[in-house]
Amino acid sequence: MSKFSTFLRSGHWPTLAASFLYFDFCFAVWVLNGAMGPFISESYGLTPAQKGFMLSVPILAGALMRFPLGVLSQYIGRKNAAMVEMTLIVAALAFGFFFVDSYDGVLAMGVLLGIAGASFGVALSLGSGWFPPKYKGLAMGIAGAGNSGTVLAVLFAPPLAQAFGWQTVYGLAALTMLLPMAVMWFAAKEPPDREHQSFREHIACLFEKDGWAFSLIYIVTFGGFIGLSSFLPTYFHDQFKVTKIEAGQLTMLATLMGSAVRVLGGYISDRIGGINTLSGVLMLVAATLTMCGFAGSSLALTTLLFMLCFAALGAGNGALFQLVPLRWPLTTAVAGSMIGEVGALGGGFLPNAMGVSKQYAGTYLFGFLAFTALALLMLVMLRMVQIRWTRTWAEKGGRAKPAPAEAAHLGKNNSQTTSNTLNSSDTASAAFHSARGSR
């Protein structure tokens, strides 16, 4: 507990709390169509492929909006960018409440929900900006745990949709956004790590191999998280014939694991390194998704496997973003947005793969296996690139390199130790010669 208190004192915890709340509510809005998928599908009689496409639209739109918001935050500040985004989200939800009444309207609403999905890079950079490098992983893990907004969506949206109609849920969600807006306005402070750089400098990570390596790994960890979060209510409802509300509750069990373990993933990565953590995560994701594909007849076993899979995905998200500020310490927001953008685009792959697999093969198995193959491919890539990473900007396993002051202190201690050893050696030598002379 004392270590956590030290962590909180090392930065500005009200900003971290505001960042978590901002990301949490934005994430809940982002996956609203996924949480209400069974209701929307029933209203318009959608095919499996149409369901998958409908659920992928908010994910893809959010991915494309992440990088522009990250760049904007570098010019107007992360706090101001967050306020602008939340204002647009309220307007988008008002559109859904008043105007969505067809499948095409749902697709258009999916694009607007993507505004909420743009929050990721800004939220994590804002929350961790006040904290020193050795605590970045934990700070980003706490801010990133705002993906627990998925839990809010799948827990509350289905019963509200059943009671008042799914379009009404958009209006209710607009009202809830006033809370994180108020907290952000009064509690958050812009971190001091902001620098004025050219646009070319802002997008430099787009032209680096490391940026694309991070992004591809994030396709599995975050893309898997958001893709499965959006698709699971539909999967549970169609595969096991549970009620729409029960499908949301089962999804909540899985997503809650992913959200909670994200903080632990950042914490563990600070100690054993993000590379080591990611290696274990990718192996576990591949194993659990494969087993989920073959466990389609057992609701209990499938739920447990999904919980384990989401725990691994959550830890992987925390681990990857422990590494981002080590690689891009001065442009964390933009680098995070770029990585998040490509990663979230991968999330659009999974609902479509599942829907197409079901429609044309009569089973979801091939959708699971496709993502399993992707996870194993990313594991191979990680083991290759980590050799160069640990020779340049990270310690062995992916831990943070000592800060200059710490390195100087260690050097001083080493010099003192060497000096003491030499002095001891000189003393021993003098004593030896003195004794020899006396003889």
Side-chain angles (χ1 to χ4, degrees):
M1 196 67 183
S2 60
K3 290 184 178 180
F4 188 70
S5 298
T6 302
F7 158 73
L8 291 179
R9 288 195 299 269
S10 71
H12 188 253
W13 69 262
T15 300
L16 180 59
S19 299
F20 166 80
L21 201 63
Y22 154 58
F23 188 42
D24 194 56
F25 278 73
C26 285
F27 214 98
V29 170
W30 193 21
V31 298
L32 267 184
N33 279 1
M36 300 189 297
F39 294 91
I40 299 172
S41 299
E42 187 177 72
S43 295
Y44 303 117
L46 304 182
T47 66
Q50 286 177 316
K51 294 176 186 178
F53 180 67
M54 175 193 72
L55 298 177
S56 71
V57 169
I59 300 173
L60 297 172
L64 294 174
M65 294 178 191
R66 284 184 169 197
F67 185 70
L69 185 67
V71 172
L72 177 66
S73 72
Q74 293 289 307
Y75 290 96
I76 69 172
R78 283 154 282 188
K79 177 179 176 178
N80 290 335
M83 294 299 299
V84 169
E85 182 192 13
M86 286 188 280
T87 302
L88 293 175
I89 291 171
V90 172
L93 290 169
F95 169 84
F97 176 67
F98 288 110
F99 300 110
V100 173
D101 57 2
S102 66
Y103 177 62
D104 289 341
V106 172
L107 296 181
M109 187 61 196
V111 174
L112 294 177
L113 291 179
I115 298 171
S119 59
F120 180 76
V122 173
L124 267 66
S125 177
L126 177 62
S128 66
W130 285 97
F131 292 85
K134 67 178 181 179
Y135 290 127
K136 289 282 188 185
L138 179 56
M140 282 196 158
I142 292 174
N147 58 22
S148 59
T150 305
V151 177
L152 299 178
V154 298
L155 184 61
F156 293 108
L160 289 173
Q162 185 161 297
F164 305 107
W166 56 268
Q167 292 94 337
T168 305
V169 177
Y170 293 135
L172 297 174
L175 296 176
T176 65
M177 286 301 301
L178 299 178
L179 175 61
M181 291 179 72
V183 174
M184 180 65 70
W185 181 259
F186 290 107
K189 292 171 60 178
E190 185 69 19
D193 59 349
R194 179 183 173 192
E195 288 196 357
H196 295 284
Q197 299 172 321
S198 69
F199 180 76
R200 174 75 181 185
E201 289 172 320
H202 285 160
I203 63 173
C205 60
L206 284 171
F207 304 99
E208 299 178 23
K209 293 180 180 179
D210 287 353
W212 290 105
F214 275 60
S215 300
L216 291 172
I217 295 170
Y218 205 53
I219 285 177
V220 175
T221 59
F222 182 75
F225 182 92
I226 186 63
L228 284 174
S229 297
S230 297
F231 194 77
L232 278 190
T234 297
Y235 177 77
F236 279 124
H237 180 259
D238 292 351
Q239 181 72 15
F240 299 104
K241 310 305 178 186
V242 299
T243 67
K244 302 179 186 70
I245 294 177
E246 288 172 339
Q249 292 170 340
L250 291 169
T251 302
M252 178 202 69
L253 293 176
T255 56
L256 184 61
M257 287 291 294
S259 301
V261 176
R262 177 163 191 149
V263 179
L264 184 60
Y267 178 81
I268 293 174
S269 297
D270 281 336
R271 278 145 186 79
I272 70 171
I275 295 171
N276 290 335
T277 306
L278 280 172
S279 298
V281 160
L282 292 171
M283 289 188 286
L284 186 56
V285 168
T288 52
L289 282 180
T290 300
M291 289 188 284
C292 282
F294 288 101
S297 59
S298 172
L299 176 60
L301 179 58
T302 298
T303 303
L304 289 173
L305 286 171
F306 274 129
M307 291 174 69
L308 185 58
C309 180
F310 268 81
L313 292 171
N317 292 332
L320 189 138
F321 273 87
Q322 177 262 347
L323 295 171
V324 170
L326 304 183
R327 179 61 182 82
W328 294 280
L330 299 179
T331 55
T332 301
V334 174
S337 294
M338 186 274 288
I339 293 166
E341 180 169 340
V342 179
L345 284 171
F349 164 78
L350 201 148
N352 279 304
M354 299 287 278
V356 169
S357 177
K358 179 64 174 178
Q359 181 158 334
Y360 294 103
T363 176
Y364 291 110
L365 173 62
F366 298 105
F368 285 116
L369 294 182
F371 211 76
T372 295
L374 183 62
L376 293 175
L377 184 62
M378 293 305 103
L379 176 61
V380 173
M381 183 195 70
L382 174 64
R383 300 316 300 172
M384 294 174 62
V385 299
Q386 62 90 24
I387 298 173
R388 177 169 51 82
W389 290 358
T390 53
R391 289 175 179 173
T392 52
W393 51 267
E395 290 287 302
K396 184 177 180 181
R399 293 184 296 272
K401 285 183 175 293
E406 293 180 38
H409 180 67
L410 290 173
K412 182 178 179 181
N413 286 344
N414 290 337
S415 298
Q416 185 64 43
T417 301
T418 302
S419 176
N420 290 342
T421 302
L422 291 174
N423 289 338
S424 298
S425 177
D426 291 343
T427 302
S429 177
F432 172 76
H433 287 296
S434 175
R436 186 176 179 182
S438 66
R439 287 197 299 267

